[in-house]
Amino acid sequence: MAVTIPEFIDKRFLTRCLQGEFGYSTVVTNFKAERLISEDLDFTSCLVRVKCEYKRNQNEDVESTSLIVKAPLQGSYTEMLEKEGCKEQYFYYNIVPKLSTLHSLDFPRTFECGSKSVIVMEDLNSSGFKVPKSMALLDFEHCKLYIQSVAKLQATSIVLNEREPKYFENFKASSNKLTNEDVLLKQRISTMATIGAKSLADLVRGLHKHEEIGLVKILDKVSNIIWDLVMSSEDSNDSLKCLIQYDIWPTNLMFKYDELGNVKSVKILDFQMYSFSPAVIDIIAFIWRSANYDVRESRLEELFHIYVDTLNDILSDLGSSTTLTFSQLKKQLEIFSPWALFVVCFFLPYGQVKQHLPLGTLFEFCDKEPQKYYDILIQAYKKSSPYFETVLLHLEAQGVFESISKLYIK
């Protein structure tokens, strides 16, 4: 693991962080810092765990705590995320406290650090929370906790928007549309989605069940236009809008367990790409990036009902007249069917690569040698079979391909 620690992390910086929590007599006397992710695998942020020793006044014993410091990296992708309206620091330090006055939310506690780009939060690991493995898929109980948690976030943001219509004004340009404004980034994402679709089509080409229901044919037909279909789906006004995280998958969740190993609570992390957009985007992204075989095969309807009930209960408790029926949710899932296919073709293949590619290397392949990325995916599929074959069948069973054909392909 790389050992480079940002220079700004020192006793003075950490003392300021803890003084807001423990009082102005607090002084950090010693600390130890370590990078959580190797530098060559960092995506857009530098994550550092800092174990601090401190005194609240000179006469007291030394106490200790553990913090997570998150600082941005430089690069075109990071610059896109840091455009006005997409700053994660603002989310944690301004939006979360505002929403938390309406209802309890599942986010880590933060510490004021005096920087507009750095986030300092509690180390949830020291409280027993754990991050699932990056390629892990979540069972129903884990999925249920997330669905209930995201419903809290969405419901409170809907109510805040009703009470203060201008509050989210700067966040109503979706992350997709912001991406679309960056020509190079748009090209890279479109290329990744296309390669993902083509490699998946080749993976199941010749398999009787997939050929019989036409999956290969439609993948071939839409492989070059998946990103365009995603953008077309966002033109729809027939959707419930709220604050969404956008980039939800197991690595951006932490779970806590009881003494028997049963999952009992969740925290949601990583809000670099949030926007005030269709609520269903986060539901789709979570299902197709995070839910395991059993959930996708037989428990999605149950999960959707839990989401609708939780959302409506909180909206009602907060005095909102807004509601979302189960049939309305299903309709919105249909409208955003290109998003489900995009998640499977863009996010899943890269996420399942056993040896993660540095983001810079991946983008270099997309820019200059897309065949290399295709070859890497084909090799990864062989190691994870039959995972992707079943995901495609589940997409078909949920009507995703039928909806795309009906609504978007002339």
Side-chain angles (χ1 to χ4, degrees):
M1 177 177 286
V3 295
T4 305
I5 303 299
E7 293 182 358
F8 71 84
I9 299 179
D10 55 20
K11 291 181 182 179
R12 182 179 179 183
F13 172 82
L14 297 169
T15 293
R16 172 166 184 165
C17 295
L18 295 188
Q19 283 180 340
E21 183 75 11
F22 301 125
Y24 288 105
S25 64
T26 303
V27 176
V28 171
T29 59
N30 194 22
F31 73 93
K32 182 179 181 180
E34 62 174 345
R35 289 284 286 263
L36 294 184
I37 305 173
S38 177
E39 287 184 73
D40 62 343
L41 292 180
D42 272 325
F43 285 83
T44 59
S45 300
C46 167
L47 289 171
V48 180
R49 172 176 284 120
V50 185
K51 296 181 179 180
C52 303
E53 294 181 350
Y54 64 94
K55 291 184 177 182
R56 302 199 194 197
N57 61 60
Q58 292 183 348
N59 299 321
E60 288 191 352
D61 295 334
V62 174
E63 300 178 72
S64 63
T65 190
S66 185
L67 305 174
I68 300 296
V69 179
K70 184 174 185 179
L73 298 175
Q74 299 303 310
S76 60
Y77 192 57
T78 301
E79 289 167 3
M80 186 278 290
L81 298 178
E82 291 299 319
K83 286 181 179 178
E84 185 176 2
C86 286
K87 292 185 181 293
E88 186 178 26
Q89 204 262 11
Y90 186 85
F91 175 83
Y92 280 113
Y93 289 91
N94 295 84
I95 295 178
V96 170
K98 185 95 169 174
L99 296 178
S100 295
T101 64
L102 301 175
H103 196 282
S104 62
L105 299 175
D106 299 314
F107 297 104
R109 187 171 83 256
T110 53
F111 298 79
E112 181 57 53
C113 65
S115 170
K116 293 182 179 181
S117 60
V118 176
I119 301 165
V120 179
M121 61 183 70
E122 64 177 315
D123 182 0
L124 291 170
N125 187 259
S126 65
S127 301
F129 284 87
K130 299 178 181 179
V131 179
K133 293 180 180 179
S134 62
M135 291 179 284
L137 295 173
L138 305 178
D139 65 18
F140 182 78
E141 292 304 317
H142 287 81
C143 290
K144 178 181 176 181
L145 276 174
Y146 168 76
I147 284 295
Q148 292 171 323
S149 182
V150 78
K152 297 178 193 176
L153 170 63
Q154 294 186 352
T156 52
S157 67
I158 289 168
V159 172
L160 180 56
N161 185 61
E162 291 173 346
R163 295 179 182 180
E164 301 181 38
K166 293 184 179 181
Y167 185 81
F168 292 113
E169 199 62 39
N170 290 335
F171 309 99
K172 291 182 178 178
S174 76
S175 296
N176 282 343
K177 291 182 179 178
L178 287 174
T179 299
N180 225 39
E181 294 173 1
D182 186 318
V183 176
L184 180 58
L185 189 56
K186 174 185 174 182
Q187 176 186 328
R188 288 169 172 173
I189 289 178
S190 180
T191 299
M192 282 182 65
T194 294
I195 294 172
K198 290 182 175 180
S199 59
L200 287 173
D202 290 342
L203 174 70
V204 299
R205 198 178 304 277
L207 296 183
H208 176 70
K209 193 167 186 178
H210 295 75
E211 293 278 10
E212 184 179 38
I213 57 180
L215 297 190
V216 175
K217 182 178 180 180
I218 193 168
L219 282 171
D220 285 339
K221 192 169 186 178
V222 304
S223 61
N224 290 315
I225 58 170
I226 291 179
W227 180 253
D228 295 329
L229 298 180
V230 168
M231 295 306 300
S232 294
S233 70
E234 292 206 9
D235 290 336
S236 169
N237 292 317
D238 187 21
S239 61
L240 179 67
K241 291 183 173 61
C242 63
L243 205 61
I244 67 167
Q245 193 262 14
Y246 183 89
D247 186 30
I248 189 65
W249 62 310
T251 301
N252 289 338
L253 297 169
M254 294 188 75
F255 294 96
K256 193 171 186 178
Y257 303 83
D258 64 21
E259 61 277 4
L260 298 177
N262 301 309
V263 64
K264 64 178 185 179
S265 58
V266 65
K267 299 289 186 182
I268 309 177
L269 307 171
D270 201 331
F271 278 76
Q272 291 177 292
M273 300 182 70
Y274 68 92
S275 63
F276 200 88
S277 300
V280 73
I281 288 177
D282 267 1
I283 307 304
I284 291 172
F286 175 77
I287 293 299
W288 298 109
R289 293 182 74 180
S290 307
N292 71 8
Y293 180 97
D294 175 64
V295 175
R296 287 186 275 110
E297 178 76 14
S298 58
R299 306 195 72 176
L300 286 184
E301 298 288 296
E302 184 179 357
L303 205 59
F304 293 152
H305 276 292
I306 291 171
Y307 166 72
V308 169
D309 291 343
T310 305
L311 184 79
N312 287 332
D313 285 346
I314 297 173
L315 288 170
S316 177
D317 289 345
L318 294 176
S320 173
S321 60
T322 298
T323 59
L324 178 69
T325 67
F326 183 77
S327 60
Q328 287 173 330
L329 174 62
K330 295 290 285 185
K331 179 63 176 177
Q332 291 174 29
L333 289 169
E334 180 182 22
I335 292 172
F336 282 83
S337 53
W339 229 98
L341 183 59
F342 174 73
V343 167
V344 170
C345 293
F346 177 83
F347 290 108
L348 281 191
Y350 180 67
Q352 289 293 317
V353 172
K354 300 296 183 182
Q355 299 295 325
H356 281 298
L357 287 171
L359 199 60
T361 303
L362 174 62
F363 283 166
E364 184 177 349
F365 287 165
C366 291
D367 294 343
K368 301 176 181 178
E369 300 177 278
Q371 182 65 36
K372 282 190 176 182
Y373 183 49
Y374 172 91
D375 293 339
I376 289 172
L377 293 187
I378 291 296
Q379 290 300 314
Y381 296 154
K382 292 178 180 179
K383 297 178 181 179
S384 59
S385 181
Y387 172 66
F388 283 97
E389 292 96 317
T390 61
V391 169
L392 292 174
L393 293 176
H394 290 155
L395 282 175
E396 194 277 335
Q398 287 296 312
V400 170
F401 292 108
E402 180 183 358
S403 297
I404 290 174
S405 297
K406 179 176 69 174
L407 299 176
Y408 297 100
I409 299 178
K410 303 302 181 182

